[in-house]
Amino acid sequence: MARIKPFTAIRPAKDKVPFVASRSYEDYSNLEREAILRYNPFSFLHIVNPGYRYHKEISGSERFGLVRNRYLEFLEAGILVRDPEPALYVYALEKEGFSCTGIFCATDSADYAQNRIKKHENTIASREQLFASYLDHVGFNVEPVLMTYPDDDRVTVLIKGITQQHPDLFFTSPDRVTHRLWQVNDPETISDLVAAFGDIPHLYIADGHHRSASSLLLAEGKKAENPKHTGEEPYNFFMSYLIPESQVRISGFSRLVKDLNGWDKEALLFKLDSLFMIDNRGSEPYLPALKHHFSMYLDGDFYSLVLRNTAYDNNDPLESLDAHILYNKVLRPLLGIEDLRNDDRIDYDYSPHAAIQMKSKVDQGGYAIGFHLRAVQMEELKRIADNDLVMPPKSTYIEPKLRSGLTIYEF
């Protein structure tokens, strides 16, 4: 049973919260980043991109040191403020068509190591090491790991009681997302929440596998350096945001392949016919709504591909996963894509308008063919994690996407 813990957060000064909080660095276009860095001196982007001040790209340990310097400058200037005592933080996000309410807390890297915090993706060792080094240099964690848990009545009632009070923080960001945050520092309420989560068997990582793995590496390194290690030191924990699984929104990525690996259209369709029931839907955009149904866009037409029952093992969590089926039956044997992470012939694209976007990218000539899958369901994700399996890359696009700078965890 994974445990949660309150922590003493560093947060933006209340009059500067909308200016400090930022989306992830990669989520902005170059023009957006430039405008924010030029005109908003309070943006957290100044911390994560410290080279902007010097008009140069800075990397490695030099960048890590400057990130730490910018962070300390924000503290000294009162842009960031340290809370007086440990707390949990209930945070609600709302935008058109989506809302969620969860808890910022500290989670134990030992629970990740012992599989009480479950994963569904592989991590890359070099990225783990790089981010662990980054954490060691900067001394704080600003991007929470998104985790989910089975809906629980006790937790729901406790959170509802908290959110009926006036929030400590309330603002709407320029992308029309409404943010509310409640600081929970009442000892009895904290104890009740910690106990309630203590009865939940597992937490599941939705987004943040590398952050979790890197936090464990950091903890192991710090433990080796500390002869008085107890397991309760701040470096043993990392910041997470926990939401019930009913509030997680999972979408899919399109797969776009640059060529047909030597096949012509008719020959490829003939090969696919042995595995799928194929229906040419013409130019009308089509997205699949059912498991084992696939959308394919090729040479100006959308096709629905319905997997034949003999083509998969429904009792195997991985073999019955659509992303794995597409790789195992089409991308690898027919289109020659062996390495889904590193082959430069395949790209992945997320869009709220997936069919139109896929059509546009293929029609522009950069790609020969596109595929889209029904979104992975939460039960499929949990089944993969519970069986210690991993999904193919880019199997899920998971929301919420969280802001940097709303709460910061120091170690």
Side-chain angles (χ1 to χ4, degrees):
M1 296 180 184
R3 65 168 173 157
I4 70 167
K5 187 176 180 178
F7 66 102
T8 303
I10 287 81
R11 298 192 287 149
K14 285 191 175 183
D15 64 330
K16 296 181 177 63
V17 175
F19 306 105
V20 175
S22 69
R23 309 197 306 270
S24 70
Y25 189 79
E26 294 78 14
D27 197 41
Y28 296 96
S29 69
N30 290 335
L31 286 175
E32 285 179 302
R33 278 198 298 267
E34 175 64 28
I36 292 169
L37 289 165
R38 178 174 296 184
Y39 298 113
N40 180 6
F42 305 124
S43 172
F44 204 85
L45 293 180
H46 285 283
I47 294 177
V48 298
N49 185 20
Y52 180 78
R53 176 181 295 183
Y54 303 105
H55 307 290
K56 61 184 286 190
E57 292 289 331
I58 302 172
S59 60
S61 59
E62 183 181 20
R63 174 178 172 266
F64 300 164
L66 288 176
V67 168
R68 177 69 180 172
N69 292 346
R70 296 292 88 74
Y71 172 69
L72 294 175
E73 288 174 6
F74 270 47
L75 278 171
E76 291 166 5
I79 300 169
L80 296 175
V81 180
R82 183 176 282 103
D83 280 345
E85 58 187 347
L88 298 172
Y89 301 87
V90 171
Y91 168 64
L93 173 155
E94 184 176 352
K95 64 178 183 178
E96 185 178 1
F98 178 72
S99 64
C100 65
T101 302
I103 298 177
F104 286 117
C105 62
T107 45
D108 195 338
S109 59
D111 286 332
Y112 175 80
Q114 295 166 18
N115 207 32
R116 289 187 288 267
I117 294 174
K118 291 181 172 284
K119 62 183 180 180
H120 66 268
E121 288 184 7
N122 269 331
T123 53
I124 300 170
S126 60
R127 287 187 62 192
E128 292 178 23
Q129 294 283 355
L130 178 64
F131 194 60
S133 176
Y134 171 82
L135 293 174
D136 194 24
H137 276 81
V138 303
F140 62 83
N141 183 227
V142 71
E143 294 182 343
V145 174
L146 176 63
M147 296 191 198
T148 187
Y149 58 90
D151 288 56
D152 182 271
D153 290 343
R154 288 171 63 194
V155 175
T156 299
V157 169
L158 287 165
I159 289 180
K160 184 176 180 180
I162 293 163
T163 57
Q164 287 176 343
Q165 305 168 33
H166 188 74
D168 295 276
L169 181 159
F170 176 28
F171 72 98
T172 300
S173 48
D175 56 351
R176 299 184 180 181
V177 178
T178 299
H179 310 263
R180 294 178 176 87
L181 185 140
W182 294 260
Q183 182 181 18
V184 183
N185 50 21
D186 171 63
E188 183 176 349
T189 305
I190 289 175
S191 178
D192 288 344
L193 281 167
V194 170
F197 275 100
D199 289 336
I200 295 175
H202 299 102
L203 300 175
Y204 293 84
I205 299 173
D207 190 19
H209 287 79
H210 280 92
R211 277 165 271 160
S212 304
S214 300
S215 295
L216 175 60
L217 274 183
L218 175 74
E220 290 174 340
K222 293 289 189 183
K223 176 182 178 180
E225 297 170 359
N226 183 4
K228 297 182 179 180
H229 174 86
T230 66
E232 294 301 317
E233 296 86 356
Y235 59 71
N236 292 291
F237 299 84
F238 57 98
M239 184 171 61
S240 295
Y241 179 64
L242 314 183
I243 60 173
E245 59 187 44
S246 63
Q247 296 182 20
V248 175
R249 183 159 74 180
I250 306 177
S251 305
F253 286 88
S254 298
R255 277 96 167 115
L256 298 160
V257 182
K258 294 181 179 178
D259 60 70
L260 298 183
N261 196 34
W263 299 94
D264 61 33
K265 174 182 173 180
E266 288 72 23
L268 180 62
L269 287 170
F270 183 80
K271 293 295 292 186
L272 290 172
D273 189 75
S274 65
L275 298 168
F276 301 91
M277 293 177 282
I278 303 174
D279 182 17
N280 186 331
R281 293 175 173 255
S283 60
E284 187 70 23
Y286 163 71
L287 290 178
L290 298 175
K291 186 176 175 67
H292 303 332
H293 289 216
F294 302 80
S295 170
M296 180 177 76
Y297 184 71
L298 172 64
D299 193 29
D301 289 328
F302 282 93
Y303 295 83
S304 66
L305 309 180
V306 180
L307 190 68
R308 299 185 188 278
N309 291 338
T310 56
Y312 66 96
D313 178 2
N314 199 43
N315 294 315
D316 186 301
L318 186 59
E319 292 295 325
S320 64
L321 190 72
D322 284 347
H324 181 78
I325 288 169
L326 184 66
Y327 168 69
N328 205 34
K329 305 293 185 182
V330 180
L331 297 178
R332 181 172 55 82
L334 299 182
L335 298 181
I337 305 293
E338 294 286 344
D339 187 342
L340 290 172
R341 290 187 183 277
N342 299 309
D343 194 317
D344 61 7
R345 293 174 54 238
I346 187 169
D347 286 320
Y348 304 90
D349 185 64
Y350 166 76
S351 171
H353 312 289
I356 295 172
Q357 178 85 342
M358 182 168 70
K359 179 182 188 303
S360 175
K361 291 207 167 189
V362 174
D363 287 349
Q364 288 171 11
Y367 303 94
I369 192 168
F371 299 92
H372 198 81
L373 297 60
R374 186 200 69 157
V376 171
Q377 304 299 294
M378 179 56 67
E379 286 306 314
E380 293 179 286
L381 184 152
K382 290 171 62 178
R383 195 173 172 216
I384 291 288
D386 288 340
N387 284 276
D388 298 323
L389 300 169
V390 294
M391 294 184 182
K394 299 296 184 182
S395 293
T396 57
Y397 180 90
I398 295 182
E399 295 178 278
K401 298 300 182 186
L402 300 169
R403 293 303 200 268
S404 295
L406 282 178
T407 59
I408 300 168
Y409 177 77
E410 280 192 332
F411 39 81

CSV table of all heavy atoms in Angstrom, one decimal, residues 2-37:
chain,number,residue,atom,x,y,z
A,2,ALA,N,0.8,2.1,-1.0
A,2,ALA,CA,1.6,3.3,-1.1
A,2,ALA,C,1.1,4.3,-0.2
A,2,ALA,O,0.0,4.4,0.1
A,2,ALA,CB,1.5,3.8,-2.6
A,3,ARG,N,2.1,5.1,0.4
A,3,ARG,CA,1.7,6.1,1.3
A,3,ARG,C,1.9,7.5,0.7
A,3,ARG,O,2.7,7.7,-0.2
A,3,ARG,CB,2.6,6.0,2.6
A,3,ARG,CG,4.1,6.2,2.4
A,3,ARG,CD,4.7,6.3,3.8
A,3,ARG,NE,6.2,6.4,3.7
A,3,ARG,CZ,6.9,6.9,4.6
A,3,ARG,NH1,6.4,7.5,5.7
A,3,ARG,NH2,8.2,6.9,4.5
A,4,ILE,N,1.2,8.4,1.2
A,4,ILE,CA,1.3,9.8,0.8
A,4,ILE,C,1.7,10.6,2.1
A,4,ILE,O,1.5,10.2,3.2
A,4,ILE,CB,0.0,10.4,0.2
A,4,ILE,CG1,-1.1,10.6,1.2
A,4,ILE,CG2,-0.4,9.5,-1.0
A,4,ILE,CD1,-2.2,11.4,0.8
A,5,LYS,N,2.3,11.8,1.8
A,5,LYS,CA,2.8,12.6,2.9
A,5,LYS,C,2.7,14.0,2.6
A,5,LYS,O,2.9,14.5,1.5
A,5,LYS,CB,4.3,12.2,3.1
A,5,LYS,CG,5.0,12.8,4.3
A,5,LYS,CD,6.4,12.3,4.4
A,5,LYS,CE,7.2,12.9,5.6
A,5,LYS,NZ,8.5,12.3,5.7
A,6,PRO,N,2.3,14.8,3.6
A,6,PRO,CA,2.3,16.3,3.4
A,6,PRO,C,3.7,16.8,3.2
A,6,PRO,O,4.7,16.2,3.7
A,6,PRO,CB,1.6,16.8,4.7
A,6,PRO,CG,1.9,15.8,5.7
A,6,PRO,CD,1.9,14.5,5.0
A,7,PHE,N,3.8,18.0,2.6
A,7,PHE,CA,5.2,18.6,2.5
A,7,PHE,C,5.0,20.1,2.6
A,7,PHE,O,4.0,20.7,2.4
A,7,PHE,CB,5.8,18.2,1.1
A,7,PHE,CG,5.1,18.7,-0.1
A,7,PHE,CD1,5.6,19.8,-0.8
A,7,PHE,CD2,3.9,18.1,-0.6
A,7,PHE,CE1,4.9,20.3,-1.9
A,7,PHE,CE2,3.3,18.5,-1.7
A,7,PHE,CZ,3.8,19.6,-2.4
A,8,THR,N,6.2,20.7,2.9
A,8,THR,CA,6.2,22.2,3.0
A,8,THR,C,6.5,22.7,1.6
A,8,THR,O,7.6,22.7,1.1
A,8,THR,CB,7.3,22.6,4.0
A,8,THR,OG1,7.0,22.0,5.2
A,8,THR,CG2,7.3,24.1,4.1
A,9,ALA,N,5.5,23.2,0.9
A,9,ALA,CA,5.6,23.7,-0.5
A,9,ALA,C,6.2,25.1,-0.6
A,9,ALA,O,6.0,25.9,0.3
A,9,ALA,CB,4.3,23.6,-1.2
A,10,ILE,N,6.9,25.3,-1.7
A,10,ILE,CA,7.2,26.6,-2.1
A,10,ILE,C,6.2,27.0,-3.2
A,10,ILE,O,6.0,26.2,-4.1
A,10,ILE,CB,8.7,26.7,-2.6
A,10,ILE,CG1,9.7,26.6,-1.5
A,10,ILE,CG2,8.9,28.0,-3.4
A,10,ILE,CD1,9.9,25.3,-1.0
A,11,ARG,N,5.6,28.1,-3.1
A,11,ARG,CA,4.5,28.5,-4.0
A,11,ARG,C,4.7,30.0,-4.4
A,11,ARG,O,5.3,30.8,-3.7
A,11,ARG,CB,3.2,28.3,-3.4
A,11,ARG,CG,2.9,26.9,-3.0
A,11,ARG,CD,1.4,26.7,-2.6
A,11,ARG,NE,1.0,27.3,-1.3
A,11,ARG,CZ,-0.2,27.8,-1.0
A,11,ARG,NH1,-1.1,27.9,-1.9
A,11,ARG,NH2,-0.4,28.3,0.2
A,12,PRO,N,4.1,30.4,-5.5
A,12,PRO,CA,4.2,31.8,-6.0
A,12,PRO,C,3.4,32.7,-5.0
A,12,PRO,O,2.4,32.2,-4.4
A,12,PRO,CB,3.4,31.8,-7.3
A,12,PRO,CG,3.5,30.3,-7.8
A,12,PRO,CD,3.4,29.5,-6.5
A,13,ALA,N,3.9,33.9,-4.8
A,13,ALA,CA,3.2,34.9,-4.0
A,13,ALA,C,1.8,35.0,-4.6
A,13,ALA,O,1.6,35.0,-5.9
A,13,ALA,CB,3.9,36.2,-4.0
A,14,LYS,N,0.8,35.2,-3.8
A,14,LYS,CA,-0.6,35.2,-4.3
A,14,LYS,C,-0.9,36.2,-5.4
A,14,LYS,O,-1.7,35.9,-6.3
A,14,LYS,CB,-1.5,35.4,-3.1
A,14,LYS,CG,-1.7,34.1,-2.2
A,14,LYS,CD,-2.8,34.3,-1.2
A,14,LYS,CE,-3.0,33.0,-0.4
A,14,LYS,NZ,-4.1,33.0,0.5
A,15,ASP,N,-0.2,37.3,-5.3
A,15,ASP,CA,-0.5,38.3,-6.4
A,15,ASP,C,0.2,38.0,-7.7
A,15,ASP,O,0.0,38.8,-8.7
A,15,ASP,CB,-0.1,39.7,-5.8
A,15,ASP,CG,1.4,39.9,-5.6
A,15,ASP,OD1,2.0,38.9,-5.2
A,15,ASP,OD2,1.9,41.0,-5.7
A,16,LYS,N,1.0,37.0,-7.7
A,16,LYS,CA,1.8,36.7,-8.9
A,16,LYS,C,1.6,35.3,-9.5
A,16,LYS,O,2.2,34.9,-10.5
A,16,LYS,CB,3.3,36.8,-8.6
A,16,LYS,CG,3.7,38.3,-8.2
A,16,LYS,CD,5.2,38.4,-7.9
A,16,LYS,CE,5.6,39.8,-7.6
A,16,LYS,NZ,5.0,40.3,-6.4
A,17,VAL,N,0.6,34.6,-8.9
A,17,VAL,CA,0.4,33.2,-9.3
A,17,VAL,C,0.2,33.1,-10.8
A,17,VAL,O,0.8,32.2,-11.5
A,17,VAL,CB,-0.7,32.5,-8.5
A,17,VAL,CG1,-1.0,31.1,-9.0
A,17,VAL,CG2,-0.4,32.5,-7.0
A,18,PRO,N,-0.8,33.8,-11.4
A,18,PRO,CA,-1.1,33.7,-12.8
A,18,PRO,C,0.1,33.9,-13.7
A,18,PRO,O,0.2,33.4,-14.8
A,18,PRO,CB,-2.2,34.7,-13.1
A,18,PRO,CG,-2.8,35.0,-11.8
A,18,PRO,CD,-1.6,34.9,-10.8
A,19,PHE,N,1.1,34.8,-13.2
A,19,PHE,CA,2.2,35.1,-14.0
A,19,PHE,C,3.4,34.1,-13.9
A,19,PHE,O,4.2,33.9,-14.8
A,19,PHE,CB,2.8,36.5,-13.6
A,19,PHE,CG,1.7,37.6,-13.7
A,19,PHE,CD1,1.2,38.1,-12.5
A,19,PHE,CD2,1.2,38.1,-14.9
A,19,PHE,CE1,0.2,39.0,-12.5
A,19,PHE,CE2,0.3,39.0,-14.9
A,19,PHE,CZ,-0.3,39.5,-13.7
A,20,VAL,N,3.4,33.4,-12.7
A,20,VAL,CA,4.5,32.4,-12.5
A,20,VAL,C,4.2,31.1,-13.1
A,20,VAL,O,5.0,30.5,-13.8
A,20,VAL,CB,4.7,32.3,-11.0
A,20,VAL,CG1,5.7,31.2,-10.7
A,20,VAL,CG2,5.2,33.6,-10.3
A,21,ALA,N,3.0,30.6,-12.9
A,21,ALA,CA,2.7,29.2,-13.3
A,21,ALA,C,2.8,29.1,-14.9
A,21,ALA,O,2.3,30.0,-15.6
A,21,ALA,CB,1.2,28.9,-12.9
A,22,SER,N,3.4,28.0,-15.3
A,22,SER,CA,3.6,27.9,-16.8
A,22,SER,C,3.3,26.5,-17.2
A,22,SER,O,3.3,25.5,-16.4
A,22,SER,CB,5.0,28.2,-17.2
A,22,SER,OG,5.9,27.2,-16.6
A,23,ARG,N,2.9,26.3,-18.5
A,23,ARG,CA,2.8,24.9,-19.0
A,23,ARG,C,4.2,24.4,-19.2
A,23,ARG,O,5.2,25.1,-18.9
A,23,ARG,CB,2.1,25.0,-20.4
A,23,ARG,CG,0.8,25.8,-20.3
A,23,ARG,CD,-0.1,25.5,-21.5
A,23,ARG,NE,0.5,25.7,-22.8
A,23,ARG,CZ,0.5,26.8,-23.5
A,23,ARG,NH1,-0.1,27.9,-23.0
A,23,ARG,NH2,1.1,26.9,-24.7
A,24,SER,N,4.3,23.1,-19.6
A,24,SER,CA,5.6,22.5,-19.8
A,24,SER,C,6.4,23.3,-20.9
A,24,SER,O,5.8,23.8,-21.8
A,24,SER,CB,5.5,21.0,-20.1
A,24,SER,OG,5.0,20.9,-21.4
A,25,TYR,N,7.7,23.3,-20.8
A,25,TYR,CA,8.5,24.1,-21.7
A,25,TYR,C,8.3,23.7,-23.1
A,25,TYR,O,8.2,24.6,-24.0
A,25,TYR,CB,10.0,23.8,-21.3
A,25,TYR,CG,11.0,24.7,-22.1
A,25,TYR,CD1,11.2,26.1,-21.6
A,25,TYR,CD2,11.7,24.3,-23.2
A,25,TYR,CE1,12.1,26.9,-22.3
A,25,TYR,CE2,12.6,25.1,-23.8
A,25,TYR,CZ,12.8,26.4,-23.4
A,25,TYR,OH,13.6,27.2,-24.1
A,26,GLU,N,8.1,22.4,-23.4
A,26,GLU,CA,7.9,21.9,-24.8
A,26,GLU,C,6.5,22.3,-25.3
A,26,GLU,O,6.3,22.2,-26.5
A,26,GLU,CB,8.2,20.4,-24.8
A,26,GLU,CG,9.6,20.0,-24.5
A,26,GLU,CD,9.9,20.0,-23.1
A,26,GLU,OE1,8.9,20.1,-22.3
A,26,GLU,OE2,11.1,19.9,-22.7
A,27,ASP,N,5.6,22.6,-24.5
A,27,ASP,CA,4.2,22.9,-24.9
A,27,ASP,C,4.1,24.2,-25.6
A,27,ASP,O,3.1,24.4,-26.3
A,27,ASP,CB,3.3,22.8,-23.7
A,27,ASP,CG,1.9,22.7,-24.1
A,27,ASP,OD1,1.6,21.9,-25.0
A,27,ASP,OD2,1.0,23.3,-23.5
A,28,TYR,N,5.1,25.1,-25.5
A,28,TYR,CA,5.0,26.4,-26.1
A,28,TYR,C,5.8,26.4,-27.5
A,28,TYR,O,6.8,25.6,-27.6
A,28,TYR,CB,5.7,27.5,-25.3
A,28,TYR,CG,5.0,27.7,-23.9
A,28,TYR,CD1,5.5,27.1,-22.8
A,28,TYR,CD2,4.0,28.6,-23.8
A,28,TYR,CE1,4.9,27.3,-21.5
A,28,TYR,CE2,3.4,28.8,-22.6
A,28,TYR,CZ,3.8,28.2,-21.5
A,28,TYR,OH,3.3,28.5,-20.2
A,29,SER,N,5.3,27.1,-28.4
A,29,SER,CA,6.0,27.3,-29.6
A,29,SER,C,7.2,28.3,-29.3
A,29,SER,O,7.3,28.9,-28.3
A,29,SER,CB,5.2,28.0,-30.7
A,29,SER,OG,4.8,29.3,-30.4
A,30,ASN,N,8.2,28.3,-30.2
A,30,ASN,CA,9.3,29.2,-30.0
A,30,ASN,C,8.9,30.6,-29.9
A,30,ASN,O,9.4,31.4,-29.1
A,30,ASN,CB,10.3,29.1,-31.2
A,30,ASN,CG,11.0,27.7,-31.2
A,30,ASN,OD1,11.1,27.1,-30.2
A,30,ASN,ND2,11.4,27.3,-32.4
A,31,LEU,N,7.9,31.1,-30.7
A,31,LEU,CA,7.4,32.4,-30.6
A,31,LEU,C,6.8,32.7,-29.3
A,31,LEU,O,7.0,33.8,-28.7
A,31,LEU,CB,6.5,32.7,-31.7
A,31,LEU,CG,7.1,32.9,-33.1
A,31,LEU,CD1,6.0,33.0,-34.2
A,31,LEU,CD2,8.0,34.1,-33.2
A,32,GLU,N,6.0,31.8,-28.8
A,32,GLU,CA,5.3,31.9,-27.5
A,32,GLU,C,6.3,32.1,-26.4
A,32,GLU,O,6.2,32.9,-25.5
A,32,GLU,CB,4.4,30.7,-27.2
A,32,GLU,CG,3.1,30.7,-28.0
A,32,GLU,CD,2.3,29.5,-27.6
A,32,GLU,OE1,2.8,28.4,-27.8
A,32,GLU,OE2,1.1,29.7,-27.2
A,33,ARG,N,7.3,31.2,-26.4
A,33,ARG,CA,8.3,31.2,-25.3
A,33,ARG,C,9.1,32.5,-25.3
A,33,ARG,O,9.3,33.1,-24.3
A,33,ARG,CB,9.3,30.0,-25.5
A,33,ARG,CG,8.9,28.7,-24.9
A,33,ARG,CD,10.0,27.8,-24.8
A,33,ARG,NE,10.6,27.4,-26.0
A,33,ARG,CZ,10.3,26.4,-26.8
A,33,ARG,NH1,9.4,25.6,-26.4
A,33,ARG,NH2,11.0,26.2,-27.9
A,34,GLU,N,9.4,33.0,-26.5
A,34,GLU,CA,10.2,34.2,-26.6
A,34,GLU,C,9.4,35.4,-26.1
A,34,GLU,O,9.9,36.2,-25.4
A,34,GLU,CB,10.5,34.5,-28.1
A,34,GLU,CG,11.2,35.8,-28.4
A,34,GLU,CD,12.5,36.0,-27.7
A,34,GLU,OE1,13.2,35.0,-27.5
A,34,GLU,OE2,12.9,37.1,-27.4
A,35,ALA,N,8.1,35.4,-26.4
A,35,ALA,CA,7.2,36.5,-25.9
A,35,ALA,C,7.1,36.5,-24.4
A,35,ALA,O,7.2,37.5,-23.7
A,35,ALA,CB,5.8,36.4,-26.6
A,36,ILE,N,6.9,35.3,-23.8
A,36,ILE,CA,6.8,35.2,-22.4
A,36,ILE,C,8.1,35.6,-21.7
A,36,ILE,O,8.1,36.3,-20.7
A,36,ILE,CB,6.3,33.8,-22.0
A,36,ILE,CG1,4.9,33.5,-22.5
A,36,ILE,CG2,6.4,33.6,-20.5
A,36,ILE,CD1,4.5,32.0,-22.4
A,37,LEU,N,9.2,35.1,-22.2
A,37,LEU,CA,10.5,35.4,-21.5
A,37,LEU,C,10.8,36.9,-21.7
A,37,LEU,O,11.4,37.4,-20.8
A,37,LEU,CB,11.6,34.5,-22.2
A,37,LEU,CG,11.5,33.0,-21.8
A,37,LEU,CD1,12.4,32.2,-22.8
A,37,LEU,CD2,11.9,32.8,-20.4
